[in-house]
Amino acid sequence: MTQLDDITVKDVDVLVIGGGTAGPMAAITAKEKDPSASVMLLEKANVKRSGAISMGMDGLNNAVIPGHATPEQYTKEITIANDGIVLQKGVMEYAERSFDMIQKLDNWGVYFQKDETGEYDVKKVHHLGTYVLPMPEGHNIKKILYRRLRRNRVQVENRYQAIRLMKDESGAVSGCIALGTRDAEVIVIRAKAVVLCTGAAGRIGLPASGYLYGTYENPTNCGDGHSMAYHVGAELSGLECYQINPLLKDYNGPACAYVTGPLGGYTANANGDRFIECDYWSGQMMMEFYNELQSGNGPVFLKLDHLAEETIQEIEDVLHTNERPSRGRFHDGRGNDYRTKMVEMHISEIGFCAGHSASGVWINEKGETTVPGLYGAGDMASIPHSYMLGAFVYGDICGANAVEFAKHRDLPTLDETFILREKQRILAPLKRSDGIPPNQFEYKLRRFVNDYLQPPKITKKMDIGLQRLKDMEQDIEFLYARDPHELLRANEAQHVYDCALMAAHASMYRQESRWGLYHHYVDYPQTNNDDWFCHVQLYKSEDNQMACKKRPIDPYVVELDEEEKTAYQKMRIQQVS
Amino acid sequence: MPTATQISMVPVVVDNEKCIADKGCRTCIDVCPLDVLWIDEKTGKAHMRYDECWYCMPCEADCPTDAVTVNIPYLLR
Ligand SMILES: Cc1cc2nc3c(=O)[nH]c(=O)nc-3n(C[C@H](O)[C@H](O)[C@H](O)COP(=O)(O)OP(=O)(O)OC[C@H]3O[C@@H](n4cnc5c(N)ncnc54)[C@H](O)[C@@H]3O)c2cc1C
Ligand code: SF4
Ligand code: SF4
């Protein structure tokens, strides 16, 4: 440990930022590959109970298990669901490693549902293939990961918010600057390689309830990683392909196709009729959901009241104990009973998430971002529809590649001027004696996002939205925090601000409609493959401006035939429409 | 710019009779992902200091004395 001015500097070989799902796996793998390497896992909350799976998980949404699906089939399905805009090599890499990862987790004690013959009990939810593996005992997964972190002697630092990444004169990443969330201490972690695992950007839009923390995503995941990647010069991709999910109205938990679907539940309109072919979450499915909400047949409901008592009990057992256990309490308060009435559903706020959609920091099939030494995994990275198992698989890939990268590098030099300037910037809200509270700043920002940036996207509206956001830039200098906790919120709010700007820029750049509701651009209602069959990359230009460019789609490793390409376009059930 | 202090009904309730924070327990405070539970200086027990809750429930599940109850935030109820 060294000192820089009065700042503590910790030196490590590999720094993993974010200890939710992908992060612990990255840190464990790095240590397994090279036990002599120093590996730090930095977490804003506490790795015991952090991230999307803080209470566990209901199942694997995308398991590629021999006998049920092949990596080629899965890669095709995700390519189609994502309207062709995918790095297929990246999806294929996941699919090929998916089964090994399930077996690894199984060996570690994670329990997956098996049938009478002891085989994995996989269910069909997707449009074409069979990939959903229930985990009725999914609540112990964080404990199992924690045990592995201890056993492998990963250095865990809880309650630090990473705020800025640093790079050296060669342009390679050199660590991060972080803030102690309880004592407002600014520290520096110098690292030879960094793996970003900070989860989705879940606080861009405002939930319809108006409650800032009533988001679909765990609200600790506010886009810190997206903002950090942007400022250090990494490319982000597909940000216009928002995450928007079908949820229970007011209660921001999934409704949930994956659990109830295989047991006979489905999404219905006010008449109790099915209107979508397939409840698997995709932009096309969300478009039909949105259309139904706007139509005379709305609102939309989760329909279970036709199911047998034992089935409903089974559903309640899973839905009210694992992932979002407060759901039962919400229903009790409202007098909802799955047996007697359908439960109202609604559309979530917008966000960036590759776990469910395709928006995030660009990575390739090795987990590399466009900045040397910087890797990314899980919901914040760009491999689409990766869910929990994708976070584990890419965590594993990044951990192995990061520790290898670190081996061939000396400790980088630090840019002291940058660090001292950042320290001042980070602490500024605490030094003021009055000003704008972070919650008010964030509320206003996110309301503008809802008013102007959520679909249907309209150029004139997005123009106004962008202007409102730019007007708010001057408010940042007035953010005011009375204690370290409010300082954490003030720094988070600035990252939410960056993400909102990114959402606007990327959406206005792609002048076509694609991915159903996710990028439903009213001025350009058609999909235009001639001009827009490409990724949209967002980056910081030489003159520090937010800029976008096209990136061609890499050659496919699995070809699609014409018939398959449009499978996800035919979501609406014909007799109802 | 002057500021005001507004009140807000918080979703998480701690039963002071059951809470053993005075014996050194910090479990709920440790596990909360949003870091909104703190020791109440007046009572020495855990309490919810900031109305920023994801109603995710680790605080309730991990409390050794069942002192914590997570309610749905009023705005969503
Ligand atoms: C409600 C819900 C239900 C889901 N259900 C399923 C399901 O049934 N099946 C399935 O396969 N997938 C499901 N998913 C998706 C799956 O959980 C995620 O894709 C996966 O867990 C993402 O892992 P991650 O590591 O990217 O993010 P997370 O596990 O969320 O971890 C991100 C971590 O980064 C930390 N962090 C954030 N910012 C910083 C910072 N600045 N500094 C330090 N640390 C930071 C956070 O505290 C957090 O611990 C669900 C997701 C949600 C939200
Ligand atoms: S976990 Fe329970 S006993 Fe411990 S401090 Fe919290 S409320 Fe009190
Ligand atoms: S429910 Fe979750 S966010 Fe709310 S206080 Fe408990 S642990 Fe914290």
Side-chain angles (χ1 to χ4, degrees):
Chain A
M1 213 183 331
T2 46
Q3 290 288 128
L4 191 159
D5 202 25
D6 59 342
I7 304 174
T8 302
V9 180
K10 301 185 187 195
D11 295 333
V12 296
D13 294 314
V14 176
L15 168 66
V16 180
I17 303 177
T21 313
M25 187 60 75
I28 292 163
T29 300
K31 268 304 225 184
E32 280 177 353
K33 294 277 174 200
D34 180 0
S36 70
S38 55
V39 176
M40 182 191 282
L41 179 58
L42 190 82
E43 166 57 50
K44 194 198 265 184
N46 183 318
V47 293
K48 281 187 187 159
R49 287 294 200 181
S50 58
I53 60 170
S54 68
M55 286 300 278
M57 197 95 306
D58 294 342
L60 297 177
N61 288 350
N62 53 347
V64 185
I65 296 183
H68 297 278
T70 64
E72 287 75 17
Q73 272 172 336
Y74 177 80
T75 304
K76 264 191 189 182
E77 177 120 21
I78 297 305
T79 306
I80 301 163
N82 223 43
D83 280 356
I85 311 297
V86 289
L87 176 70
Q88 268 202 349
K89 268 185 290 180
V91 178
M92 189 63 145
E93 190 69 22
Y94 160 75
E96 283 174 340
R97 290 168 178 251
S98 153
F99 188 57
D100 286 348
M101 182 54 72
I102 294 171
Q103 287 183 308
K104 178 180 194 143
L105 294 168
D106 200 331
N107 280 332
W108 287 2
V110 179
Y111 176 76
F112 300 104
Q113 190 161 299
K114 301 199 173 122
D115 62 19
E116 314 78 57
T117 62
E119 299 294 324
Y120 291 118
D121 189 10
V122 198
K123 312 278 185 195
K124 182 168 186 316
V125 175
H126 291 61
H127 201 37
L128 307 172
T130 305
Y131 310 103
V132 172
L133 178 57
M135 298 165 59
E137 301 288 320
H139 46 78
N140 59 4
I141 188 150
K142 279 296 250 185
K143 277 210 181 79
I144 291 170
L145 288 174
Y146 190 66
R147 224 180 289 143
R148 290 278 151 181
L149 286 170
R150 297 291 299 264
R151 186 182 296 185
N152 286 287
R153 298 166 175 275
V154 170
Q155 190 184 336
V156 173
E157 294 286 349
N158 290 316
R159 304 290 172 195
Y160 281 99
Q161 179 197 16
I163 294 190
R164 280 289 185 272
L165 292 168
M166 311 179 297
K167 53 183 172 182
D168 66 8
E169 60 284 356
S170 79
V173 77
S174 59
C176 91
I177 307 176
L179 173 71
T181 64
R182 289 179 175 174
D183 57 10
E185 190 197 356
V186 171
I187 63 163
V188 166
I189 297 126
R190 171 163 43 184
K192 297 178 188 170
V194 176
V195 187
L196 271 180
C197 302
T198 49
R203 260 159 62 193
I204 307 177
L206 187 64
S209 64
Y211 191 63
L212 285 175
Y213 296 83
T215 49
Y216 172 71
E217 294 294 342
N218 185 326
T220 42
N221 298 340
C222 62
D224 291 338
H226 299 74
S227 174
M228 282 191 276
Y230 170 74
H231 286 292
V232 82
E235 287 176 18
L236 292 96
S237 188
L239 301 181
E240 69 283 14
C241 181
Y242 295 164
Q243 156 174 252
I244 307 172
N245 294 330
L247 304 177
L248 294 179
K249 175 84 166 61
D250 295 340
Y251 181 86
N252 248 356
C256 162
Y258 306 96
V259 174
T260 62
L263 295 170
Y266 56 86
T267 311
N269 61 21
N271 310 322
D273 292 328
R274 239 184 231 271
F275 61 95
I276 29 183
E277 291 276 359
C278 164
D279 284 345
Y280 177 68
W281 295 3
S282 65
Q284 295 80 0
M285 179 271 190
M286 283 309 300
M287 190 75 220
E288 294 306 341
F289 193 116
Y290 173 81
N291 288 339
E292 202 74 359
L293 274 181
Q294 304 298 321
S295 80
N297 291 327
V300 171
F301 297 86
L302 170 67
K303 183 167 161 56
L304 302 174
D305 56 4
H306 56 291
L307 300 177
E309 176 61 28
E310 309 85 74
T311 315
I312 292 198
Q313 276 177 21
E314 191 181 340
I315 290 172
E316 284 177 339
D317 260 6
V318 176
L319 284 187
H320 300 178
T321 59
N322 273 345
E323 247 170 54
R324 296 294 280 141
S326 54
R327 180 193 313 254
R329 277 174 209 181
F330 171 77
H331 287 326
D332 288 346
R334 288 270 170 104
N336 292 339
D337 184 343
Y338 297 142
R339 292 161 188 80
T340 53
K341 62 178 181 190
M342 304 193 295
V343 184
E344 189 184 351
M345 292 174 68
H346 198 63
I347 284 183
S348 76
E349 65 286 347
I350 68 161
F352 298 151
C353 178
H356 299 84
S357 175
S359 32
V361 176
W362 174 264
I363 59 162
N364 63 14
E365 70 281 5
K366 296 184 188 130
E368 295 164 340
T369 68
T370 55
V371 171
L374 180 63
Y375 299 79
D379 283 356
M380 59 80 57
S382 63
I383 305 297
H385 298 234
S386 56
Y387 291 97
M388 181 174 65
L389 198 57
F392 282 135
V393 167
Y394 268 92
D396 184 49
I397 293 174
C398 289
N401 290 337
V403 82
E404 187 59 32
F405 186 92
K407 239 184 239 169
H408 305 287
R409 194 180 179 201
D410 294 328
L411 260 184
T413 49
L414 294 176
D415 179 346
E416 292 188 22
T417 326
F418 176 76
I419 292 170
L420 295 176
R421 200 177 59 224
E422 277 302 314
K423 180 184 173 189
Q424 271 200 347
R425 188 189 65 83
I426 292 166
L427 294 177
L430 208 50
K431 309 275 190 232
R432 299 185 182 114
S433 52
D434 62 17
I436 304 169
N439 62 341
Q440 274 189 318
F441 175 86
E442 188 175 327
Y443 182 87
K444 181 166 167 176
L445 169 64
R446 291 168 61 186
R447 178 179 63 80
F448 283 147
V449 168
N450 281 23
D451 287 350
Y452 298 109
L453 301 182
Q454 71 182 359
K457 302 178 187 178
I458 298 165
T459 304
K460 189 69 200 161
K461 275 177 76 175
M462 291 193 285
D463 268 336
I464 301 173
L466 204 50
Q467 191 53 50
R468 293 281 173 277
L469 294 179
K470 285 188 178 146
D471 293 345
M472 282 187 77
E473 192 174 351
Q474 61 191 28
D475 297 349
I476 291 173
E477 270 179 53
F478 294 95
L479 282 174
Y480 166 50
R482 294 170 298 180
D483 60 26
H485 182 81
E486 289 183 357
L487 183 65
L488 156 73
R489 296 291 182 241
N491 278 289
E492 287 180 339
Q494 294 174 61
H495 296 161
V496 176
Y497 178 80
D498 288 339
C499 289
L501 278 182
M502 292 194 248
H505 279 278
S507 292
M508 293 173 81
Y509 185 77
R510 185 183 280 279
Q511 296 183 345
E512 63 154 358
S513 285
R514 197 177 282 270
W515 308 295
L517 186 64
Y518 300 162
H519 186 61
H520 171 41
Y521 198 162
V522 180
D523 307 47
Y524 306 96
Q526 302 302 325
T527 298
N528 171 357
N529 279 328
D530 291 341
D531 296 323
W532 292 104
F533 192 76
C534 59
H535 303 280
V536 167
Q537 309 292 99
L538 181 142
Y539 62 102
K540 195 185 219 176
S541 68
E542 300 275 316
D543 54 348
N544 287 327
Q545 297 301 307
M546 209 170 262
C548 291
K549 64 180 181 193
K550 294 182 180 180
R551 184 197 150 104
I553 307 284
D554 281 14
Y556 280 175
V557 288
V558 189
E559 277 308 324
L560 313 178
D561 47 50
E562 283 307 313
E563 175 74 354
E564 288 169 332
K565 280 184 189 164
T566 54
Y568 270 71
Q569 312 289 348
K570 298 171 192 150
M571 278 291 152
R572 178 158 284 267
I573 288 182
Q574 289 315 316
Q575 52 277 30
V576 178
S577 56
Chain B
M1 254 168 285
T3 50
T5 309
Q6 267 174 322
I7 63 164
S8 156
M9 181 172 70
V10 294
V12 171
V13 183
V14 174
D15 182 340
N16 283 349
E17 299 289 304
K18 290 189 188 159
C19 174
I20 52 166
D22 46 336
K23 301 211 171 66
C25 182
R26 294 290 181 273
T27 301
C28 59
I29 296 170
D30 276 348
V31 295
C32 172
L34 276 301
D35 209 10
V36 292
L37 303 175
W38 293 66
I39 294 295
D40 184 337
E41 313 237 308
K42 282 199 282 301
T43 60
K45 309 284 182 171
H47 81 140
M48 183 170 236
R49 180 147 144 201
Y50 305 91
D51 180 11
E52 302 165 341
C53 179
W54 196 43
Y55 35 103
C56 48
M57 291 175 64
C59 54
E60 181 178 315
D62 296 350
C63 171
T65 64
D66 286 332
V68 184
T69 308
V70 176
N71 298 301
I72 304 294
Y74 175 70
L75 291 183
L76 320 180
R77 230 175 266 167

